[in-house]
Amino acid sequence: MSAFIRVENAVKTFGDAESGTGVRALDGVSLSVDKAEVVLIIGPSGSGKSTLLRAINRLEKLDSGEIWIGDDVVTARRADLRHIREDAGMVFQSFNLFAHMSILENVSLAPRIVRKVPAVEAREAARAILERVGLADKFDRFPRQLSGGQQQRAAIARALAMNPKALLFDEPTSALDPEMIKEVLDVMTGLADDGMTMLVVSHEMGFARAAAHRVIFMDQGRIVEQGSPDDIFAHPHEQRTRDFIRHIL
Amino acid sequence: MKKNKVAAAFRGIPWWLVLLIGLGAISLGTALTDASYRVIFGAVAKGFVVTLTVAVVSYAISLMLGLLLGLARSSRLRPLREASTFYIELVRGLPMLVILYYIAFVGAPAMAGILNGLLAPLIRAGAMQPFESRSFSFATRAVLALTLGYAAFIAEIFRAGIESVDKGQIEAAYALGLSPTQTMIRVVLPQAIRNVLPALANEFIAIIKDSALVSVLGVQDITQIGKVYAASTFKFFETYNVVAFFYLCLTVSLSMLVRALESRLRRESVR
């Protein structure tokens, strides 16, 4: 096993840092994720989970600290953003499917535009990926015509279409009705079984038990504790972790 | 039961439209039967083409210029943003009539001067005649003035459209590796333009009405021909009836189209 994503001493402040009114979203976070490892990040809202995820594919710029994806330095001033984002796909809480395109176009857009794959080939590949997430009959639908669960599966397919080496999930099931959560988690578990490197911000215990290799508990911009799902959920060491686990269970 | 249905259908009728169409039908009927109206119709109809041409050409160019200005206005590059904001605020702060006078009597000589400066070698060599203010017809100056004025309004519409697109769409595009330019062209603009389509169409109606201003430069549009005809025949009432009829035919039918477009877009966004 080798570290694929490495974060070292990440610091990020929102608002005015110097006057002290700013909010420290990341307060010296270090983390490494191995190839094919599935890491779950939990923690109260405002603990910096999403910021950490967004910093890894440079949707957010760090104040200080370094991040690597493979051999790319994400935090470099002249980082190859295209390459970084091809390597690490992202799935959002609110799906963010392109509203003016069919599902098939959503999935085939980035390969066509970024990778310059011929349109016919890109659509062919998109169909195969959509079938894999169980949306074989929805190619021509627009995002607003799909349920939340279907939209999120389409969004996962869109990220997969770029053949990412890792996937970042930012609360992928938080915006879903309970009966739709399972269909999304099933797709995610399938990816984990296939050896995808995954960093998932979520409180889904079912997914943690089924797929996560490691669980990280964050609070106030720091990693408080990490360990196997069983360690963190059943035998947490830190008081803060215990309090939090009690609240979400 | 049946009575209720009739009453409901009766209430659903847009009476303002019935009235307008009735008025139009009466006008048309009079124009065909009344000899003096027929003459006025024939005269003013010549201006109809000019009005439409001025409006369509100005609108088409101001759409392109407005899009560029709107993009600059929402750019991350500060100089671009400042420059386009400067232009937009300057132009929006002036009456259209003043812009028209400026372009016609200040802009045209200035343009001639600039072009002569740029093409000085060619002119000295005798390859071409130097430009004069006269080289630019008043119709050209009128179109230029309307274009520059409306580009500012249209730029603000495009900016509003660009800002109306959900930030999540942009993040998703970035996360897939699209560059900011690709994201703008493929993801933001298609949705932005859709959102502001009715507003853009309304600007076309506005430019048709403002095109009447070009009559102050002597351009032979509906208003100018009407003005001249009325002054020479003293048939003010009849002439301006005809003038109003022509404008209303254009503007009312277009605003009906905009309504249809709006309700279609609303239906699609709900579906």
Side-chain angles (χ1 to χ4, degrees):
Chain A
M1 290 255 207
S2 61
F4 182 61
I5 300 173
R6 272 185 300 151
V7 179
E8 241 158 62
N9 216 5
V11 175
K12 171 77 187 177
T13 311
F14 290 109
D16 193 352
E18 271 158 35
S19 71
T21 54
V23 180
R24 219 157 224 224
L26 295 177
D27 194 6
V29 174
S30 297
L31 161 81
S32 88
V33 181
D34 289 337
K35 272 220 164 91
E37 193 182 14
V38 177
V39 176
L40 192 73
I41 306 178
I42 61 173
S45 67
S47 58
K49 306 164 291 188
S50 291
T51 308
L52 176 63
L53 220 57
R54 293 163 56 82
I56 290 173
N57 74 348
R58 238 327 247 275
L59 285 177
E60 217 72 75
K61 242 184 194 162
L62 291 182
D63 298 344
S64 66
E66 286 199 309
I67 299 175
W68 290 265
I69 298 181
D71 294 329
D72 287 310
V73 185
V74 177
T75 40
R77 187 183 287 271
R78 296 224 163 268
D80 184 353
L81 292 186
R82 204 195 102 175
H83 194 241
I84 288 163
R85 287 165 175 167
E86 281 185 75
D87 275 354
M90 181 114 176
V91 175
F92 300 87
Q93 177 176 0
S94 48
F95 329 134
N96 297 343
L97 289 170
F98 304 131
H100 60 302
M101 292 178 189
S102 71
I103 297 306
L104 193 68
E105 288 172 302
N106 260 283
V107 178
S108 58
L109 178 79
R112 275 197 303 126
I113 302 305
V114 181
R115 283 252 171 86
K116 314 287 182 208
V117 176
V120 180
E121 246 173 78
R123 283 203 199 97
E124 203 58 46
R127 276 196 198 95
I129 297 166
L130 280 167
E131 272 161 25
R132 187 170 153 199
V133 299
L135 292 173
D137 51 341
K138 306 284 189 232
F139 294 158
D140 301 327
R141 298 296 175 82
F142 282 80
R144 60 177 175 274
Q145 298 171 315
L146 300 185
S147 73
Q150 290 167 336
Q151 285 192 49
Q152 192 60 298
R153 282 186 282 148
I156 293 172
R158 181 175 65 174
L160 286 174
M162 291 299 275
N163 291 320
K165 297 189 181 124
L167 275 180
L168 312 170
F169 292 83
D170 190 4
E171 309 211 22
T173 55
S174 300
L176 296 176
D177 291 333
E179 72 267 26
M180 291 168 185
I181 290 176
K182 187 173 178 298
E183 65 188 57
V184 171
L185 291 181
D186 284 349
V187 169
M188 290 169 60
T189 309
L191 288 173
D193 291 344
D194 291 347
M196 176 64 80
T197 308
M198 293 163 74
L199 192 51
V200 183
V201 170
S202 172
H203 295 151
E204 292 297 338
M205 302 294 289
F207 178 74
R209 293 244 158 76
H213 302 118
R214 180 151 55 108
V215 177
I216 294 176
F217 173 64
M218 279 182 75
D219 191 20
Q220 294 179 350
R222 291 166 189 266
I223 292 179
V224 176
E225 187 172 356
Q226 53 181 309
S228 70
D230 189 53
D231 284 344
I232 298 296
F233 290 118
H235 315 288
H237 291 291
E238 300 287 329
Q239 185 58 43
R240 269 190 291 174
T241 317
R242 249 173 270 156
D243 289 343
F244 179 74
I245 299 293
R246 207 170 49 233
H247 276 111
I248 62 167
L249 283 188
Chain B
M1 190 65 197
K2 202 169 183 189
K3 215 173 188 178
N4 278 344
K5 251 187 190 165
V6 172
F10 208 67
R11 267 200 304 275
I13 294 174
W15 288 108
W16 61 270
L17 185 61
V18 173
L19 248 160
L20 271 174
I21 291 174
L23 211 62
I26 292 169
S27 312
L28 208 61
T30 322
L32 294 174
T33 51
D34 185 315
S36 73
Y37 263 110
R38 217 160 39 222
V39 175
I40 304 172
F41 245 88
V44 175
K46 287 193 206 99
F48 185 79
V49 180
V50 174
T51 290
L52 210 56
T53 311
V54 166
V56 168
V57 174
S58 315
Y59 184 67
I61 308 174
S62 59
L63 267 185
M64 291 183 272
L65 193 57
L67 177 59
L68 292 180
L69 280 168
L71 284 170
R73 186 97 155 79
S74 28
S75 166
R76 287 170 310 162
L77 301 173
R78 181 135 184 222
L80 273 181
R81 221 165 50 224
E82 299 280 353
S84 63
T85 309
F86 173 77
Y87 176 82
I88 289 165
E89 292 302 328
L90 187 80
V91 169
R92 286 203 310 169
L94 288 170
M96 191 57 81
L97 188 56
V98 174
I99 298 176
L100 210 65
Y101 282 135
Y102 250 109
I103 298 299
F105 302 117
V106 183
M111 259 195 326
I114 291 168
L115 283 174
N116 286 339
L118 288 175
L119 302 171
L122 283 174
I123 294 166
R124 261 202 305 280
M128 57 185 292
Q129 294 290 315
F131 283 95
E132 293 171 43
S133 300
R134 271 183 317 188
S135 314
F136 308 101
S137 74
F138 275 108
T140 309
R141 300 183 209 183
V143 166
L144 187 64
L146 282 177
T147 300
L148 293 179
Y150 269 81
F153 298 124
I154 288 174
E156 281 297 89
I157 292 176
F158 275 121
R159 182 183 64 96
I162 289 167
E163 280 173 7
S164 75
V165 175
D166 180 27
K167 296 289 162 287
Q169 301 273 309
I170 299 167
E171 288 195 340
Y174 285 174
L176 285 165
L178 273 73
S179 70
T181 310
Q182 289 169 333
T183 302
M184 183 53 80
I185 293 171
R186 301 286 177 163
V187 176
V188 179
L189 274 184
Q191 299 186 54
I193 290 172
R194 219 185 115 91
N195 290 347
V196 298
L197 224 45
L200 287 178
N202 275 327
E203 285 305 293
F204 184 57
I205 297 173
I207 213 169
I208 286 175
K209 290 188 287 178
D210 269 355
S211 76
L213 290 170
V214 307
S215 63
V216 301
L217 299 181
V219 176
Q220 299 287 308
D221 75 327
I222 296 174
T223 307
Q224 175 66 7
I225 290 180
K227 195 168 73 185
V228 171
Y229 189 89
S232 62
T233 59
F234 295 106
K235 287 182 180 162
F236 290 102
F237 179 70
E238 293 87 339
T239 310
Y240 284 114
N241 275 349
V242 173
V243 167
F245 173 78
F246 273 109
Y247 280 114
L248 284 172
C249 278
L250 282 173
T251 52
V252 173
S253 56
L254 282 169
S255 86
M256 299 299 295
L257 278 177
V258 174
R259 275 160 192 263
L261 181 72
E262 271 174 341
S263 67
R264 205 188 122 178
L265 288 177
R266 207 169 315 129
R267 262 205 315 281
E268 276 181 13
S269 65
V270 172
R271 187 179 55 165

